[in-house]
C-alpha cells in the first residue's frame, strides 16, 4: 500500500494546532488545578508530538508516561481487538491521570485503554484526542477534550503516520492517492 503514489493536502496548519492547544490547556489547567502531580499518559506512537506540545503549554506539575496499544498494524484498517504492547511504568491508583491520544476513529482503542486504566482506580481520569472522526465510530466513546473533528479522511503528520511515514510533518494533512 505505501508503494502506491500519494500526495498530502494540508488539512490543519501548524499554527491552527498551536492555537487550539493553547485554548484546550486553559480548560485542562482549570480541571486539574489542585493536582499534586498529574500523570500525563501518551499513547504510542501517534501522540508523541501532541503530548510534547501539550505538556509544555499545561504549566502544571506533571509526570509523563507512555502506553502502547496495537491498533492499525501497518495499513489503513483498524482492528477491533486491542492489545497492550507496552504498559505504564507508573502506578496510577489514587492519582490524577490524563490520557493523550492522536485520533479517535472507531473508538475501540481509547475505549479499551480507558476501561483498563479505570480498573486501576485513579482518583481522576480524563482523556484528550487531537482529532476525532465521529462518523467512523463503532463503540460509544467520546474523549473529554477534542482538538478538531475531521471527516472520514486518512490523515498524517504531527506524529501521525501512514505505514510509519510522514510522522514528522509539522501540520496535519490528508492522504490523496494519485493512481
Ligand atoms: P480506533 O481504535 O479505531 O479509534 O483507532 C485509533 C487509532 O487508529 C489511532 O490511535 C491511530 O493510531 C489510528 N488511526 C485512525 N485514523 C487514522 C488516520 O487517519 N491516520 C493514521 N492513523 C489513524
Ligand atoms: Mg494510535
Amino acid at each position: 500500500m505505501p508503494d502506491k503514489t500519494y500526495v498530502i493536502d494540508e488539512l490543519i496548519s501548524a499554527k491552527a494546532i498551536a492555537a487550539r492547544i493553547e485554548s484546550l490547556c486553559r480548560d485542562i489547567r482549570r480541571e486539574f488545578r489542585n493536582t499534586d502531580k498529574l500523570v500525563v499518559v501518551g499513547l504510542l506512537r501517534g501522540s508523541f508530538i501532541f503530548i510534547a506540545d501539550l505538556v509544555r503549554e499545561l504549566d502544571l506539575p506533571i509526570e509523563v508516561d507512555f502506553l502502547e496499544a496495537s491498533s492499525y498494524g501497518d495499513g489503513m484498517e483498524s482492528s477491533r481487538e486491542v492489545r497492550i504492547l507496552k504498559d505504564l511504568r507508573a502506578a496510577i491508583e489514587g492519582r490524577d491521570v490524563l490520557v493523550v491520544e492522536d485520533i479517535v476513529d472507531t473508538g475501540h482503542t481509547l475505549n479499551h485503554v480507558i476501561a483498563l486504566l479505570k480498573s486501576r482506580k485513579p482518583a481522576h481520569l480524563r482523556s484528550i484526542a487531537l482529532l476525532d472522526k465521529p462518523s467512523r465510530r463503532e463503540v460509544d466513546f467520546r474523549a473529554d477534550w477534542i482538538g478538531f473533528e475531521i471527516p472520514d479522511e486518512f490523515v498524517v503528520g504531527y506524529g501521525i503516520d501512514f505505514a510509519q511515514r510522514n510522522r514528522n510533518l509539522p501540520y496535519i494533512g490528508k492522504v490523496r492517492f494519485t493512481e
Side-chain angles (χ1 to χ4, degrees):
M1 205 171 341
D3 351 89
K4 264 209 216 165
T5 330
Y6 64 94
V7 294
I8 297 165
D9 300 322
E10 183 175 289
L11 186 64
I12 307 169
S13 70
K15 220 172 139 187
I17 297 169
R20 183 67 185 129
I21 289 177
E22 231 185 278
S23 116
L24 286 164
C25 282
R26 278 195 289 275
D27 242 49
I28 298 171
R29 231 178 278 131
R30 210 172 306 127
E31 172 112 2
F32 289 106
R33 66 185 175 276
N34 295 320
T35 195
D36 285 346
K37 210 209 264 164
L38 177 66
V39 188
V40 183
V41 173
L43 298 201
L44 292 172
R45 286 168 263 178
S47 73
F48 82 106
I49 294 181
F50 182 37
I51 193 175
D53 282 346
L54 196 73
V55 295
R56 283 181 290 181
E57 190 63 40
L58 258 186
D59 193 26
L60 287 173
I62 63 145
E63 181 176 331
V64 173
D65 206 339
F66 293 97
L67 186 148
E68 184 171 12
S70 66
S71 56
Y72 265 47
D74 264 353
M76 291 174 94
E77 272 304 300
S78 183
S79 63
R80 274 144 201 102
E81 183 203 338
V82 181
R83 284 179 310 132
I84 302 300
L85 303 179
K86 182 207 169 295
D87 205 341
L88 296 180
R89 295 287 289 271
I92 57 167
E93 184 170 350
R95 303 194 59 189
D96 294 332
V97 179
L98 176 65
V99 177
V100 180
E101 171 65 312
D102 55 357
I103 310 182
V104 184
D105 186 37
T106 63
H108 289 286
T109 306
L110 210 46
N111 193 45
H112 180 92
V113 167
I114 292 294
L116 172 73
L117 297 186
K118 224 180 237 170
S119 74
R120 298 178 184 175
K121 310 214 172 348
H124 204 56
L125 178 63
R126 292 286 180 267
S127 59
I128 179 167
L130 179 64
L131 304 175
D132 188 14
K133 295 190 211 169
S135 65
R136 299 250 312 157
R137 203 68 93 253
E138 290 176 9
V139 290
D140 184 21
F141 180 87
R142 212 182 135 75
D144 297 294
W145 293 280
I146 283 159
F148 303 90
E149 260 189 27
I150 59 168
D152 182 10
E153 302 275 4
F154 199 82
V155 295
V156 291
Y158 197 73
I160 300 164
D161 72 303
F162 175 27
Q164 302 309 324
R165 295 200 292 182
N166 310 120
R167 286 195 200 273
N168 55 338
L169 281 178
Y171 57 88
I172 304 276
K174 57 181 179 185
V175 167
R176 178 163 53 86
F177 291 101
T178 50
E179 58 185 59

